[in-house]
Amino acid sequence: MPKTHAPKPPPGLPTREQILDFIATSDTPAGKREIAKAFGLTAQQKITLKAMLKDMADDGLIDSAPGRAFHKMGGVPKVTVLRIVDADDGGNVWAVPENWHADTPAPRLRVRERKHGALAIGDRVLARTEEAGNGWIAHPMKALAKGEELILGVLRQEGGKLWLQGVEKKERREFQVSDAGEGKPGDLVLAEKAGRPPRITARVTEVLGDPFAPRSFSMIAIHKLGIPTVFTPETIAEAERVARTPLGKDSEDLRHIPIVAIDPADARDHDDAVWAAPDDDPKNEGGWKAIVAIADVSFYVRPGSDLDREARRRGNSVYFPDRVVPMLPEVLSADVCSLKEGADRAALVCHLQVSKAGELKSWRFSRALVRIAANIAYEDAQAAIDGVIQHPLTETALRPLWACWRALYAAREKRSPLDLDLPERRVMLDEKGRIMSVAPRERLDAHKLIEDYMIAANVAAAKALEAKKAPVMYRVHEEPSREKLVALKDYLKTFGVEFALGQVVRPATFNHILDKVGEVDFRQQVMEQVLRTQTQAYYAPANHGHFGLALGSYAHFTSPIRRYADLIVHRSLVSAYKLGDGGLTEGEAAGMERIGEGISALERRAMEAERDTIDRYVAAFLSEKVGEVLDARITGVTNFGFFATVEGIGGDGLMPARDIGGEYFRFDEAARKLIGDQTGTEYASGQRLPLRLAEANPVSGALRFEMVDGKGARVERDERPGRVIKRRGRPANIRHQGRKR
């Protein structure tokens, strides 16, 4: 039997850890009766066990399966109902749990069934499950009534038949439509897969409308990735109730300090606000004192509440050009928790002492009552500092903030974090949701200022919790793997840039590479390759440092309205500093690793949704330019062609090798180049060249190019404005580079 761990249970009862171990190792589904029998509990102890199991469920440690059996939260019940979602020609069948309520995305289970053909997409089975390595295996026990496996796609007509094209770029298959219902060519629909490989068809179950209408592109991502958009009536009611909670009388009153919130002009919520002034402490001569005030979400969202469960299920807010899918109901995210000018707000405040060299000398945390002096857009704050416009708070608030920031920035430069100046694309919409422009977002000192104050507060939060020996949800960014470094070395060699593998790799190492490269055409490609070399950041209670920022301890503290990780850090600070109610629970402390895994996965889902939606907006914007010659830059070269992006706008598109020109192009894998056999013409990453836009598909976000002097091309336009537009045809007498010569 497992060893006993803290916390100590009532006499005679197993610990939480013992219960979790029993549930995980039991050969049969483990319900309350099985747990009680295994530990030899009395009738009275069974009553206490029931309450204990409820507490464990509320703390997110366990979940109940059909038949009231338990399993670890985030795991799969030992016996459960599965839905078949995929089957390939190789005989592999995959399923997902039909009901999944954990914080992490539902796992895919490989179905072990001798007669694979007996199972089709959409089928439901009762199955016994087992964890194997890093995945799950299912053993079907009984076939159940058929369910639905829905896919998102657009209907198109060809040869008198309707076909369904999925919205994903990588989805190469199209499904013949067996029943279109009320769907028409061009409609965005949800459809049910049916049949068995290789004859899988689609039956339309719901028509979602025009995929090219304003504000449709984000809905495609939302449907595709299963992002929850609707709060339950219970959650809304709870949010409205807690929003009326009187602000704490014991909070530190900071309403007299001119704290300002500097955000994007179109910000939907305001998590953070800042203030700084010269330090009057003689021990910090020439230094600064600063305040980073963060919305006190933990004051309103308590562990185990409906609000908390819903926030953890979402993991974060998701931001699109046309909408935000919030982690919290709007009454909290956009109103009561948002730090708005002139309104009294509850805040969790980080008080910093900064030396004249920009080092953090000390910090403390308090719950406070704040009244924001102003909400200022980045552009306006910068213009005020530059003397372009007048602002009433320029001298009293902004200049001291800038002076303290220059010290923080100097310390940042000395630390030499990874410095990749990759532009962020910004989609501008009009009031009707139509695209006005797509352009890189301007990077101002005002952006860097807020970023550095937030980093300082995040470091302070991590170190403060470490000093208190309290749980920390770290933001971890590990150093690159050797495999990725080897790939970078090979890549840099194609540009004549040397990179030694034997050295100790630091962020400054990559900065030195960019210094060597200098201001050349392929500089941005090198930056993008350096970015791909980095590992993906994640959340975890074990500290492995933040490589990119060159920091030993780092947590996310500054955005609790939109990130669940920050809310966990807030709760730990509330407990550690004894700041009142709403602190970290025992169950949360014990489940930090599981929580971290869940919110990391949900963060990746949000990033994919945001990236895909931007690609769709870019493709929609460029669809009006199909047939035009555009300035492009090669971003990658493969054996089947090269990928290019439109300068200043973005959007990746393929230029197939077969369509490049009237000669055979050989792929030089080491140099990552396509080289013409007759003329020696080369196409390589970073190269700028004019290309004609041949196709722009707003539904998938994909582009396709052709050479400016390509022959035999013709424009094919959809009758309806804004639809997918293609140029058909290819130059004659061209051999695909992959064919034998």
Side-chain angles (χ1 to χ4, degrees), residues 182-193:
E182 297 181 2
K184 299 178 180 60
D187 281 345
L188 178 69
V189 300
L190 281 172
E192 176 190 358
K193 286 184 182 179

Side-chain angles (χ1 to χ4, degrees), residues 348-416:
L348 193 58
V349 174
C350 175
H351 302 260
L352 295 170
Q353 194 175 45
V354 182
S355 74
K356 62 181 179 182
E359 303 294 338
L360 298 185
K361 291 180 65 69
S362 68
W363 49 78
R364 71 177 178 88
F365 291 84
S366 69
R367 268 184 160 156
L369 190 61
V370 299
R371 183 179 295 159
I372 303 306
N375 291 107
I376 310 174
Y378 283 117
E379 294 80 4
D380 291 342
Q382 189 67 56
I385 285 295
D386 294 342
V388 177
I389 65 170
Q390 292 184 342
H391 194 283
L393 293 174
T394 299
E395 300 303 324
T396 56
L398 296 181
R399 291 209 185 280
L401 275 171
W402 250 259
C404 179
W405 167 66
R406 290 189 184 97
L408 290 171
Y409 188 73
R412 177 192 179 101
E413 291 292 285
K414 184 179 178 181
R415 197 173 73 242
S416 193

Side-chain angles (χ1 to χ4, degrees), residues 263-314:
D263 292 295
D266 57 354
R268 278 97 160 190
D269 48 54
H270 305 277
D271 290 274
D272 57 85
V274 290
W275 170 86
D279 197 353
D280 50 11
D281 185 347
K283 294 180 181 179
N284 190 29
E285 185 177 354
W288 303 86
K289 54 186 177 182
I291 285 175
V292 179
I294 306 299
D296 189 1
V297 176
S298 65
F299 180 75
Y300 298 100
V301 181
R302 300 298 171 88
S305 63
D306 284 335
L307 277 169
D308 183 48
R309 281 190 288 270
E310 185 65 23
R312 192 187 295 185
R313 185 169 76 95
R314 295 174 181 231

Side-chain angles (χ1 to χ4, degrees), residues 101-267:
H101 305 296
D103 306 324
T104 55
R108 283 165 60 97
L109 295 88
R110 185 161 58 87
V111 180
R112 277 191 177 172
E113 175 67 21
R114 290 179 182 176
K115 298 179 181 179
H116 284 144
L119 293 174
I121 291 173
D123 284 353
R124 299 166 66 245
V125 295
L126 181 67
R128 179 174 58 83
T129 69
E130 62 173 317
E131 195 167 5
N134 294 324
W136 292 84
I137 293 175
H139 303 272
M141 299 165 61
K142 179 183 178 182
L144 303 175
K146 187 176 176 61
E148 292 182 344
E149 163 57 16
L150 299 179
I151 55 173
L152 186 68
V154 175
L155 296 176
R156 73 174 189 85
Q157 191 163 17
E158 184 177 315
K161 298 179 180 179
L162 272 180
W163 297 83
L164 180 70
Q165 172 64 57
V167 299
E168 296 191 55
K169 289 182 185 178
K170 62 184 179 182
E171 178 61 77
R172 300 296 181 188
R173 292 181 298 174
E174 289 190 340
F175 304 96
Q176 186 174 341
V177 178
S178 57
D179 181 3
E182 297 181 2
K184 299 178 180 60
D187 281 345
L188 178 69
V189 300
L190 281 172
E192 176 190 358
K193 286 184 182 179
R196 296 178 175 85
R199 296 187 61 81
I200 299 175
T201 60
R203 182 180 65 83
V204 174
T205 60
E206 183 179 355
V207 178
L208 300 176
D210 184 354
F212 302 92
R215 299 188 173 91
S216 286
F217 301 130
S218 57
M219 288 306 299
I220 293 175
I222 288 167
H223 275 281
K224 170 189 161 187
L225 295 170
I227 295 172
T229 59
V230 178
F231 291 100
T232 65
E234 294 78 12
T235 303
I236 294 290
E238 183 174 90
E240 291 173 346
R241 177 176 57 78
V242 301
R244 297 190 293 270
T245 305
L247 298 182
K249 296 179 180 179
D250 297 330
S251 298
E252 185 178 10
D253 194 342
L254 300 178
R255 288 177 292 181
H256 61 287
I257 295 178
I259 304 173
V260 296
I262 303 176
D263 292 295
D266 57 354

Side-chain angles (χ1 to χ4, degrees), residues 507-528:
T509 306
F510 299 107
N511 296 338
H512 293 327
I513 290 172
L514 297 174
D515 291 340
K516 286 182 186 178
V517 169
E519 297 298 327
V520 291
D521 283 352
F522 56 83
R523 178 181 176 84
Q524 184 164 341
Q525 278 62 57
V526 174
M527 283 194 291
E528 289 169 352

